[in-house]
Amino acid sequence: MMNELTQYTSAENHVIITLNNGKVNAISHEVIDSLNLLLDKAEQEKKVVILTGQPGVFSAGYDLKSMTASAESALELVTKGSRLSHRMLSFPYPIIVACTGHAIAKGAFLLLSSDYRIGTEGDFKIGFNEVMIGMAMHNAGIQLAKGRLTPTYVNRSVNNAEMYSPENAVTAGFLDKVVPENHLLPTAIKIAKMFSKLNPKAHTATKLKVRETHLTSLEEAIAEDIKEGLHPPTR
């Protein structure tokens, strides 16, 4: 099952969702709509999800046309993306990201929205570029960073727009493991097989307990972003 933006492959104990939106895998309204539909499908199949991208890039972030069109347009897309992150963090089955390369801005936030993150070795950048491109970090982004990054790295990543190699991204908290490129998907599938042995009800109940404060803070941050509005990137 696929459209031009995403691809969905179902296997015995997992599904693979592949982002396929141009050379930077931009996260657009259509990509988020498609991801939500495919997460619905994975939930119906009761399977572990592997989310991945194209060789060299997982995602470089939100679709710039929507982000620079107007403050309202930017807010609409970011709100939709933040709600996707909330859904992923509370998803009833494990979500593994097989990060195929660069993961910038919303690409990095997708790493922070999943249960296990595997990166590929190489000269890739992982992190938030919002402050670099003239955008004050949104409240939901700050909460996602605080909830999943190593505390020392929150300021470095959010305030200073520091970018990390895949290896340093493990230390920062964006990734859990880094493997050679040809091992990326096989490793993700191996972990999905292990995760498929978890009791789903126990997994969901425990995940929601562990993340209760984080999810509540994220909901509040999304509401604050809607109230405050956003400012499109400026130089």
Side-chain angles (χ1 to χ4, degrees):
M1 175 184 174
M2 68 178 293
N3 57 32
E4 68 276 12
L5 301 174
T6 56
Q7 183 175 345
Y8 183 97
T9 308
S10 185
E12 184 185 354
N13 49 35
H14 65 272
V15 304
I16 299 174
I17 299 174
T18 307
L19 297 171
N20 187 34
N21 184 24
K23 62 182 182 181
V24 298
N25 267 339
I27 306 298
S28 62
H29 284 283
E30 295 79 12
V31 167
I32 294 173
D33 290 341
S34 182
L35 285 174
N36 274 312
L37 285 170
L38 297 182
L39 286 173
D40 288 344
K41 188 171 171 58
E43 193 170 344
Q44 287 162 8
E45 290 191 42
K46 301 180 178 179
K47 288 179 180 174
V48 177
V49 173
I50 296 172
L51 179 62
T52 191
Q54 302 167 57
V57 61
F58 174 59
S59 174
Y62 285 122
D63 174 54
L64 278 179
K65 283 182 186 173
S66 294
M67 291 301 289
T68 55
S70 68
E72 293 75 21
S73 173
L75 177 60
E76 188 185 359
L77 184 56
V78 170
T79 302
K80 207 168 180 175
S82 298
R83 285 177 174 146
L84 172 65
S85 285
H86 188 284
R87 180 183 186 184
M88 288 172 65
L89 283 163
S90 52
F91 195 68
Y93 300 94
I95 297 177
I96 300 163
V97 171
C99 182
T100 45
H102 299 295
I104 297 166
K106 188 58 186 179
F109 283 119
L110 289 175
L111 298 178
L112 302 187
S113 307
S114 57
D115 295 291
Y116 199 88
R117 300 79 46 89
I118 311 159
T120 182
E121 291 173 355
D123 186 20
F124 300 119
K125 291 180 179 178
I126 294 169
F128 310 133
N129 68 343
E130 280 81 351
V131 169
M132 187 74 70
I133 62 170
M135 176 173 258
M137 183 65 82
H138 55 304
N139 293 298
I142 292 166
Q143 286 305 324
L144 284 165
K146 283 182 175 178
R148 300 300 301 277
L149 290 182
T150 307
T152 312
Y153 284 83
V154 173
N155 285 300
R156 290 172 62 175
S157 303
V158 177
N159 300 345
N160 305 345
E162 189 171 337
M163 291 285 158
Y164 306 100
S165 66
E167 289 75 16
N168 288 338
V170 173
T171 309
F174 287 100
L175 295 173
D176 294 299
K177 187 183 186 73
V178 176
V179 297
E181 185 183 4
N182 61 333
H183 291 186
L184 183 66
L185 206 52
T187 303
I189 290 168
K190 184 178 178 183
I191 291 168
K193 190 174 181 181
M194 288 165 52
F195 282 175
S196 71
K197 294 174 183 173
L198 296 172
N199 179 289
K201 285 185 179 177
H203 168 76
T204 309
T206 304
K207 178 190 288 190
L208 292 176
K209 279 185 185 180
V210 170
R211 295 181 181 162
E212 182 180 10
T213 305
H214 183 38
L215 289 166
T216 302
S217 298
L218 184 54
E219 283 169 17
E220 291 168 356
I222 293 168
E224 280 297 310
D225 285 330
I226 293 168
K227 186 177 166 184
E228 292 176 10
L230 296 174
H231 302 285
T234 55
R235 280 287 176 190

